[in-house]
Amino acid sequence: MISTEIRRAAVLGCGLIGASVALALRRTGVHVTLSDRDPYAVRKAERMGAGTASARGDRPADVVVIATPPSTVPGVLREAQARGLGRVYTDVASTKAGILAEAEAAGCDVSVYVPGHPMAGGESSGPGAARADLFAGRRWALCPHPATRPDAVRLVTELVALCGAEHRLVRPDAHDRVTAAVSHVPHLVAAALAARFAGADETTLALAGQGLRDVTRIAGGSPDLWCDILRQNAGPIAEVLDAVVRDLTEVASALRGADPGAPGTSGASGVPGMFEESGTPGALAGLLVRGNRGRALLAGARPAGVAGGRSAAPKAAA
């Protein structure tokens, strides 16, 4: 058992992430109260052993975890602090800079608020998909304001450890740029590819292989939630998307100009646009070469949630 000051926690929002936090905390003996605008979600989480429904007269929690859609976090935080629900507050939204700025503008007490983002999730939503081990070995970004008290950061760091995750302190703006690249744009790219098959016929679907299923898996997330997430991080996401679109546009142009019967510019490929005259990769080969390099780096790095750099079943980080 991790030595901690956390004896009581309140989880506001009983979706996949909120219910998983609650289950992880209950497993370590923390008393957890649950609330959600959907009474069914609370009842489901209760039946799973995630805690008990919040009630009037509950003692203030040591930590309040806000697990609601990103656009609602500042308002929920302000209300929770006004009601005195706890000593310290955190959230699990996958965007940070805008939420923190809005919370500060709304008059929230940022000295006891530690914005957070567990790098874990899944394509299924709701409390029924929650697991106590969802965060085991995962990274959990913490993005405190300069005015946030050190003891508040310490308490939320302990909460992260109780959930089995590893915390990493990141500036809010840096977090949003990185998350755009590693989570938000991959979701959009997967959705764009999967959308090509929204009206697919039986023959197409029968011939679809595991590779297509792998790269489109995360496209199964809730459209409502993902619209909220993407709007909250619009600028950084648009920048990454622009770069991806440039790559694909260059490749499309090279492919349109390809003529297998014509002499290649490199004398090797036989297809203009494959290689430049110097033999260095052109648009098509260049993208594939850089793709190999990026994949090798991703595979060689220690993934969030996997010890020793070995890949486990992938999970979508929202």
Side-chain angles (χ1 to χ4, degrees), residues 46-119:
E46 277 190 292
R47 288 196 297 269
M48 294 173 65
T52 58
S54 62
R56 285 181 176 274
D58 283 340
R59 290 167 49 194
D62 298 307
V63 180
V64 176
V65 180
I66 300 171
T68 62
S71 63
T72 68
V73 170
V76 172
L77 174 62
R78 183 178 181 180
E79 181 182 357
Q81 290 187 334
R83 293 169 57 195
L85 293 188
R87 295 164 49 199
V88 171
Y89 300 79
T90 187
D91 73 279
V92 294
S94 68
T95 65
K96 295 274 79 85
I99 289 174
L100 185 53
E102 196 173 331
E104 189 173 20
C108 297
D109 182 359
V110 296
S111 73
V112 291
Y113 170 46
V114 185
H117 177 207
M119 302 303 294

Side-chain angles (χ1 to χ4, degrees), residues 22-46:
L23 286 169
L25 293 177
R26 285 295 303 130
R27 190 166 62 174
T28 67
V30 175
H31 177 81
V32 180
T33 60
L34 307 165
S35 64
D36 193 288
R37 64 181 181 180
D38 179 3
Y40 168 79
V42 175
R43 291 194 297 271
K44 176 70 173 177
E46 277 190 292

